[in-house]
Amino acid sequence: MKHLAKKRFGQNFLTDQAVIQSLVDAISPQPDDLMVEIGPGLGALTQPLLTKMNALHVVEIDRDIIAWMQNTYAASKVHIHHSDVLKFDFTTIGERIRVVGNLPYNISSPILFHLLDNVAGIIDMHFMLQKEVVERMVASPSTAAYGRLSVMLQYHLHMEYLITVPPEAFNPAPKVESAFVRCVPREHLPFVAQDTALFAKVVMAAFGQRRKTLRNTLKGLLDDAGFAQLEIDSQLRAENLSVAQFVAIANFLA
Ligand code: SAM
């Protein structure tokens, strides 16, 4: 199909067949998997996935692409959901789903947070994202890339940086390098926040001004006695705390 890539929808289509094959190998689709692809575009991943699967769900916002897909794929093979992924209710697909996608980079963090709301029903997720975002997702404490995204995702997910992908693998080529990541929801959380909203609030406050000490960023939430009881140095910054320590603070406050 003749299709002009739309910048507002973050359309950078994968064209490198060797890269596409390595992504599909990493996903390892099985015939009966209940799989959802976010942003199928012109089918760069959809097509090779379908050769190994009985059927696939896709969520796409672009009406031109939807029309093309309806003409291209049998309705029994590709279940098309014309929707903004940020408004899409993944529980409508089923209870144990796999999620894949070369995501629109402009809304990648909101998509990840939206999926966290449905994490209980997800088996695994494989995403192409901006390399810098994947580095933040998997970052360890006390590194420059470690931040709110790392803590919030690592709380729920085990993540693996899989493949670095150069701009030339796409058309049009994005300005940045990309990376493919695997995310698997933790079956048993190693540290359980009693109040996940409070946990999120603490993490947000601590990283709100990441150059400031915890004593400053958590003022009003945690006093010196609290820091002492938790055995956390209030002169540290958010980037120095492990996920376990953020959970400990939230549970202390709860
Ligand atoms: N999967 C294709 C590929 O790899 O060539 C296309 C990937 S492209 C980076 C992102 C895709 O997500 C596009 O098809 C775009 O239209 C779609 N998209 C963008 N924003 C979306 C949204 N809010 N909800 C659903 N799909 C969206």
Side-chain angles (χ1 to χ4, degrees):
M1 165 174 100
K2 213 167 160 43
H3 177 85
L4 282 182
K6 294 173 188 155
K7 214 170 173 187
R8 70 180 184 284
F9 290 148
Q11 291 180 351
N12 297 95
F13 300 110
L14 270 167
T15 49
D16 185 317
Q17 290 307 317
V19 168
I20 291 168
Q21 191 54 53
S22 60
L23 305 186
V24 173
D25 288 347
I27 295 167
S28 184
Q30 303 300 311
D32 292 326
D33 283 345
L34 197 48
M35 194 180 284
V36 191
E37 184 187 0
I38 298 171
L42 301 176
L45 285 171
T46 322
Q47 190 59 43
L49 287 170
L50 276 177
T51 63
K52 309 208 171 209
M53 304 183 69
N54 295 329
L56 186 66
H57 289 261
V58 299
V59 182
E60 174 59 62
I61 199 167
D62 185 336
R63 70 174 73 234
D64 296 334
I65 288 177
I66 292 287
W68 173 79
M69 291 208 110
Q70 283 165 339
N71 286 328
T72 306
Y73 297 108
S76 58
K77 290 285 277 179
V78 181
H79 306 294
I80 300 173
H81 305 271
H82 185 189
S83 167
D84 177 348
V85 64
L86 297 177
K87 298 192 180 124
F88 186 72
D89 178 359
F90 283 84
T91 61
T92 59
I93 303 283
E95 287 191 349
R96 288 178 56 74
I97 62 171
R98 303 187 69 196
V99 187
V100 301
N102 169 18
L103 298 185
Y105 295 173
N106 50 345
I107 53 165
S108 54
S109 290
I111 293 176
L112 294 170
F113 279 104
H114 178 56
L115 284 159
L116 282 189
D117 293 339
N118 298 285
V119 76
I122 296 174
I123 295 177
D124 62 16
M125 304 182 267
H126 288 83
F127 295 131
M128 179 79 81
L129 293 160
Q130 227 172 295
K131 183 181 164 200
E132 176 257 329
V133 172
V134 177
E135 284 170 347
R136 287 200 274 133
M137 291 163 74
V138 303
S140 304
S142 302
T143 63
Y146 187 71
R148 175 174 170 249
L149 191 69
S150 330
V151 176
M152 295 309 295
L153 294 186
Q154 289 173 22
Y155 176 78
H156 293 281
L157 310 171
H158 172 74
M159 288 174 289
E160 231 178 306
Y161 185 116
L162 296 175
I163 305 166
T164 304
V165 182
E168 308 81 69
F170 304 82
N171 185 20
K175 289 196 177 70
V176 291
E177 277 197 300
S178 302
F180 199 55
V181 63
R182 174 181 296 138
C183 311
V184 183
R186 299 184 189 280
E187 239 174 89
H188 303 288
L189 298 179
F191 323 102
V192 180
Q194 287 155 27
D195 179 342
T196 45
L198 183 56
F199 168 66
K201 186 178 163 188
V202 169
V203 175
M204 174 92 92
F207 283 106
Q209 295 154 293
R210 62 179 291 138
R211 305 310 302 163
K212 294 205 169 169
T213 63
L214 294 167
R215 189 165 202 273
N216 272 309
T217 54
L218 297 184
K219 199 171 265 169
L221 282 172
L222 198 60
D223 58 15
D224 288 346
F227 278 110
Q229 211 165 319
L230 285 160
E231 295 181 13
I232 293 174
D233 180 353
S234 65
Q235 293 307 306
L236 293 176
R237 297 185 187 131
E239 65 191 37
N240 304 121
L241 292 195
S242 64
V243 176
Q245 286 173 310
F246 278 111
V247 172
I249 294 175
N251 286 350
F252 178 81
L253 298 175

